[in-house]
Amino acid sequence: VCSSDLASSPDAFWTLLADGGDAIRMPPVGRPGGEALGPAGYLDGVEQFDAAFFGITPREAEVMDPQQRLVLEVAWEALEDAGMVPAHLAGSQTGVFIGISGIDYARAQGGSDAATDPYAATGTALSLAANRLSYLLDLRGPSWAVDTACSSSLVAVQHACDSLRQQ
């Protein structure tokens, strides 16, 4: 089994964690930065992002950090799994708190033409990940991208809990 297959879904990821597995590997063939990037937890299929579905132009999607793409895809999937209609959230005080860290994608594009593309600034800014989702769903609550390195997700959850307690 390829290491990338071990975490290809939430259930597979949970099994990987529960079994103490390891999905660290060398970069996939054709990944910008190639072998120089070294071993890490790479995702397959990041180029399969359906930009049109999320109202993003193909040009912008090309330079958009896969982390931003994943925020949109995973949040949409989570709403579907919960039986929620995303359009019903429009205008609500729903908050978005995202733990996000690492600028590997921006670094990998550093010497390419993509780095000077006008969309590169918004496509690689971690601060915009939460805002993209808020904008897409027309959410009016707090929208924060939290980068505290290894604790980013935990701190984002803490901020979300604090926000709910203040309501």
Side-chain angles (χ1 to χ4, degrees), residues 6 17 21 40-41 61 66 72 82 85 88-89 94 96 104-105 111 119 145 153 164:
L6 296 174
L17 293 175
L72 296 173
V85 177
H88 292 170
L89 294 172
T94 303
V96 175
D104 299 334
Y105 191 74
Y119 288 116
S153 295
L164 288 170

Side-chain angles (χ1 to χ4, degrees), residues 67-132:
Q67 292 180 100
Q68 289 190 24
R69 299 176 203 168
L70 286 169
V71 164
L72 296 173
E73 291 172 331
V74 171
W76 193 274
E77 185 176 329
L79 290 172
E80 287 180 338
D81 287 349
M84 299 183 74
V85 177
H88 292 170
L89 294 172
S92 71
Q93 286 298 312
T94 303
V96 175
F97 300 84
I98 302 291
I100 190 166
S101 185
I103 57 168
D104 299 334
Y105 191 74
R107 232 183 323 215
Q109 291 187 2
S112 72
D113 291 339
T116 59
D117 188 287
Y119 288 116
T122 57
T124 59
L126 299 182
S127 60
L128 294 182
N131 302 128
R132 280 190 186 276

Side-chain angles (χ1 to χ4, degrees), residues 45-64 68-70 72-73 76 132 136:
V46 294
E47 72 284 350
Q48 296 171 357
F49 176 68
D50 187 354
F53 179 82
F54 293 105
I56 297 169
T57 66
R59 182 174 168 203
E60 183 176 9
E62 284 180 32
V63 295
M64 193 169 141
Q68 289 190 24
R69 299 176 203 168
L70 286 169
L72 296 173
E73 291 172 331
W76 193 274
R132 280 190 186 276
L136 173 73

Side-chain angles (χ1 to χ4, degrees), residues 37-48:
L37 295 173
Y42 294 99
L43 298 173
D44 292 322
V46 294
E47 72 284 350
Q48 296 171 357

